Short mmCIF file of all heavy atoms in Angstrom, two decimals:
data_model
loop_
_atom_site.label_atom_id
_atom_site.label_comp_id
_atom_site.label_asym_id
_atom_site.label_seq_id
_atom_site.Cartn_x
_atom_site.Cartn_y
_atom_site.Cartn_z
N VAL P 16 -5.71 -20.88 -5.48
CA VAL P 16 -6.36 -20.73 -4.17
C VAL P 16 -5.86 -19.44 -3.51
O VAL P 16 -4.62 -19.20 -3.54
CB VAL P 16 -6.00 -21.96 -3.27
CG1 VAL P 16 -6.54 -21.77 -1.86
CG2 VAL P 16 -6.53 -23.22 -3.91
N ILE P 17 -6.75 -18.65 -2.96
CA ILE P 17 -6.30 -17.45 -2.26
C ILE P 17 -6.85 -17.44 -0.86
O ILE P 17 -7.84 -18.18 -0.49
CB ILE P 17 -6.79 -16.16 -2.99
CG1 ILE P 17 -8.30 -16.02 -2.97
CG2 ILE P 17 -6.22 -16.11 -4.43
CD1 ILE P 17 -8.77 -14.67 -3.56
N ARG P 18 -6.19 -16.69 0.02
CA ARG P 18 -6.68 -16.49 1.39
C ARG P 18 -7.14 -15.04 1.50
O ARG P 18 -6.35 -14.10 1.36
CB ARG P 18 -5.50 -16.83 2.35
CG ARG P 18 -5.84 -16.66 3.80
CD ARG P 18 -6.38 -17.86 4.49
NE ARG P 18 -5.62 -19.07 4.28
CZ ARG P 18 -6.09 -20.27 4.56
NH1 ARG P 18 -7.26 -20.47 5.08
NH2 ARG P 18 -5.35 -21.34 4.36
N LEU P 19 -8.41 -14.84 1.78
CA LEU P 19 -8.95 -13.50 1.84
C LEU P 19 -8.66 -12.87 3.22
O LEU P 19 -8.29 -13.59 4.14
CB LEU P 19 -10.45 -13.58 1.61
CG LEU P 19 -10.81 -14.03 0.15
CD1 LEU P 19 -12.21 -14.51 0.06
CD2 LEU P 19 -10.56 -12.86 -0.81
N PRO P 20 -8.78 -11.57 3.30
CA PRO P 20 -8.42 -10.87 4.60
C PRO P 20 -9.29 -11.45 5.77
O PRO P 20 -8.84 -11.40 6.89
CB PRO P 20 -8.80 -9.44 4.37
CG PRO P 20 -8.91 -9.25 2.90
CD PRO P 20 -9.13 -10.58 2.27
N THR P 21 -10.40 -12.00 5.52
CA THR P 21 -11.23 -12.63 6.57
C THR P 21 -10.66 -13.92 7.04
O THR P 21 -11.09 -14.48 8.03
CB THR P 21 -12.64 -12.90 6.00
OG1 THR P 21 -12.48 -13.61 4.76
CG2 THR P 21 -13.50 -11.70 5.84
N GLY P 22 -9.63 -14.46 6.38
CA GLY P 22 -9.11 -15.75 6.72
C GLY P 22 -9.72 -16.81 5.86
O GLY P 22 -9.34 -18.00 5.90
N VAL P 23 -10.78 -16.52 5.10
CA VAL P 23 -11.50 -17.51 4.28
C VAL P 23 -10.61 -17.85 3.09
O VAL P 23 -10.00 -17.04 2.44
CB VAL P 23 -12.84 -16.90 3.77
CG1 VAL P 23 -13.46 -17.85 2.69
CG2 VAL P 23 -13.78 -16.66 4.92
N ARG P 24 -10.55 -19.20 2.83
CA ARG P 24 -9.79 -19.73 1.73
C ARG P 24 -10.75 -19.84 0.52
O ARG P 24 -11.87 -20.32 0.65
CB ARG P 24 -9.34 -21.14 2.10
CG ARG P 24 -8.21 -21.69 1.36
CD ARG P 24 -7.81 -22.94 2.11
NE ARG P 24 -8.67 -24.02 1.71
CZ ARG P 24 -8.22 -25.13 1.09
NH1 ARG P 24 -6.92 -25.27 0.87
NH2 ARG P 24 -9.03 -26.08 0.72
N ALA P 25 -10.33 -19.36 -0.67
CA ALA P 25 -11.23 -19.43 -1.81
C ALA P 25 -10.49 -19.90 -3.04
O ALA P 25 -9.29 -19.63 -3.26
CB ALA P 25 -11.77 -18.02 -2.07
N TRP P 26 -11.19 -20.69 -3.86
CA TRP P 26 -10.71 -21.21 -5.13
C TRP P 26 -11.14 -20.23 -6.24
O TRP P 26 -12.30 -19.96 -6.31
CB TRP P 26 -11.25 -22.63 -5.36
CG TRP P 26 -10.92 -23.61 -4.28
CD1 TRP P 26 -11.38 -23.61 -2.99
CD2 TRP P 26 -10.06 -24.73 -4.39
NE1 TRP P 26 -10.86 -24.63 -2.26
CE2 TRP P 26 -10.05 -25.40 -3.12
CE3 TRP P 26 -9.28 -25.32 -5.40
CZ2 TRP P 26 -9.34 -26.53 -2.86
CZ3 TRP P 26 -8.55 -26.47 -5.15
CH2 TRP P 26 -8.55 -27.08 -3.92
N VAL P 27 -10.16 -19.84 -7.03
CA VAL P 27 -10.47 -18.87 -8.08
C VAL P 27 -10.36 -19.51 -9.44
O VAL P 27 -9.34 -20.03 -9.82
CB VAL P 27 -9.52 -17.62 -7.99
CG1 VAL P 27 -9.89 -16.58 -9.03
CG2 VAL P 27 -9.51 -17.00 -6.61
N ILE P 28 -11.44 -19.39 -10.22
CA ILE P 28 -11.48 -19.90 -11.60
C ILE P 28 -11.34 -18.67 -12.49
O ILE P 28 -12.24 -17.81 -12.49
CB ILE P 28 -12.80 -20.66 -11.87
CG1 ILE P 28 -12.92 -21.85 -10.88
CG2 ILE P 28 -12.91 -21.07 -13.33
CD1 ILE P 28 -14.27 -22.54 -10.91
N ALA P 29 -10.29 -18.60 -13.33
CA ALA P 29 -10.07 -17.38 -14.02
C ALA P 29 -9.81 -17.55 -15.57
O ALA P 29 -9.72 -16.55 -16.28
CB ALA P 29 -8.90 -16.60 -13.42
N ASP P 30 -9.66 -18.77 -16.03
CA ASP P 30 -9.57 -19.01 -17.44
C ASP P 30 -10.93 -18.55 -18.07
O ASP P 30 -11.98 -18.91 -17.49
CB ASP P 30 -9.30 -20.47 -17.70
CG ASP P 30 -9.57 -20.94 -19.12
OD1 ASP P 30 -8.64 -20.82 -19.92
OD2 ASP P 30 -10.71 -21.33 -19.39
#
Side-chain angles (χ1 to χ4, degrees):
V16 176
I17 63 172
R18 178 87 52 193
L19 294 162
T21 46
V23 171
R24 201 168 82 119
W26 301 68
V27 183
I28 300 172
D30 164 89

